[in-house]
Amino acid sequence: MAGEVVRTKNFVADAANFIVDLAHKALAERHEFRIALSGGNTPRPVYSEVARIGRDLPWDRALITFGDERCVPPDDAQSNFRMARETLFVPANVPEKSIMRMRGEIDPPIAAQQYQDDVDLLATQRGEQIYRHDLILLGVGDDGHTASLFPESKALSEQNQRVVANFVAKLNTWRLTFTFPLINHARHVCFLVNAKKQSELIERIINGDAQYPAARVKPVSGKLTWILGE
């Protein structure tokens, strides 16, 4: 079984506490907290709770990135940035300089390259070859995709680029997404999942069924945690 599996009936509180505890730990050890957010509906109440209980966190020492983004403007209802802004950034008074937005409104390959350049610059400034997140939050779609790494999409085989524009044929749309080399370089990766919706699928992924992209998340020298809302 890959990583630690936490099954909980207090999903929102347990997930928010996990994130805030890890933030305090990173800040104590390295004086900054590097987190990549996921989109979708599952983390929405979690971010609201993080804003509430993490009000005293020094958000000016956080670096917040996004694991993926839809190719829409930042004020679009589908935007992952908009969701995070409404639930976390505004309520917690997160300063703008702590937030790195994916530019979903411009040409996807250009947006992906710009984001990779920004992440690579952070790594260079810190003497790292690849930027290392303290925590990457991920979800799982009903087809086993995570971030915007969809089954049969080109980004699954990417070995060099860390951020790419990925065309998703079944949705007939482009997405911006982290790739496995960047995800698996993190100190900690955490899946936030409503297990009631897709319990059989989740068990297959946890047990390593490689037909599902989410099963290929295996931090090289970091930890993997599943928080499953039951």
Side-chain angles (χ1 to χ4, degrees):
M1 186 178 283
E4 180 190 11
V5 180
V6 178
R7 302 175 192 275
T8 174
K9 289 185 165 57
N10 299 308
F11 175 74
V12 171
D14 286 349
N17 281 317
F18 173 85
I19 293 165
V20 171
D21 287 349
L22 208 63
H24 283 299
K25 183 168 177 267
L27 286 159
E29 290 176 3
R30 289 176 296 280
H31 309 292
E32 65 178 4
F33 176 49
R34 315 174 186 185
I35 180 173
L37 302 181
S38 62
N41 286 317
T42 302
R44 183 185 289 271
V46 176
Y47 295 164
S48 294
E49 183 66 3
V50 168
R52 190 183 73 79
I53 66 172
R55 210 175 285 276
D56 64 334
L57 278 171
W59 288 105
D60 59 320
R61 287 198 275 136
L63 277 167
I64 303 172
T65 55
F66 286 82
D68 74 319
E69 183 57 280
R70 296 175 171 94
C71 292
V72 295
D75 57 354
D76 190 281
Q78 293 296 306
S79 165
N80 289 342
F81 169 80
R82 175 176 166 173
M83 186 272 280
R85 184 177 181 279
E86 291 172 350
T87 55
L88 176 60
F89 303 158
V90 171
N93 290 316
V94 179
E96 227 168 272
K97 72 179 182 67
S98 294
I99 304 160
M100 283 177 57
R101 179 175 77 81
M102 285 180 164
R103 297 182 65 199
E105 72 275 22
I106 66 173
D107 184 57
I110 292 173
Q113 187 62 55
Q114 282 186 359
Y115 208 73
Q116 174 165 297
D117 290 347
D118 289 343
V119 169
D120 285 352
L121 178 60
L122 290 176
T124 301
Q125 289 168 342
R126 287 155 180 76
E128 301 170 355
Q129 280 195 311
I130 298 179
Y131 182 67
R132 193 164 195 209
H133 287 86
D134 293 308
L135 177 62
I136 294 180
L137 298 175
L138 294 173
V140 177
D142 55 15
D143 57 0
H145 84 265
T146 192
S148 281
L149 297 165
F150 283 79
E152 298 176 12
S153 65
K154 192 177 174 187
L156 294 180
S157 58
E158 182 58 57
Q159 294 297 314
N160 298 313
Q161 298 292 105
R162 291 161 290 290
V163 183
V164 297
N166 194 29
F167 185 73
V168 183
K170 76 173 196 174
L171 302 176
N172 192 32
T173 191
W174 286 90
R175 293 281 185 90
L176 305 173
T177 188
F178 283 3
T179 61
F180 290 120
L182 183 56
I183 292 171
N184 286 329
H185 193 64
R187 287 189 176 88
H188 210 131
V189 178
C190 180
F191 281 96
L192 300 178
V193 181
N194 177 355
K196 286 182 289 194
K197 279 198 308 188
Q198 44 200 21
S199 56
E200 271 182 50
L201 171 71
I202 298 306
E203 294 308 318
R204 282 186 198 163
I205 293 169
I206 288 173
N207 288 314
D209 189 336
Q211 69 172 304
Y212 302 111
R216 293 172 57 185
V217 173
K218 296 173 182 175
V220 179
S221 57
K223 295 179 180 175
L224 177 62
T225 300
W226 289 80
I227 300 180
L228 305 180
E230 299 189 325

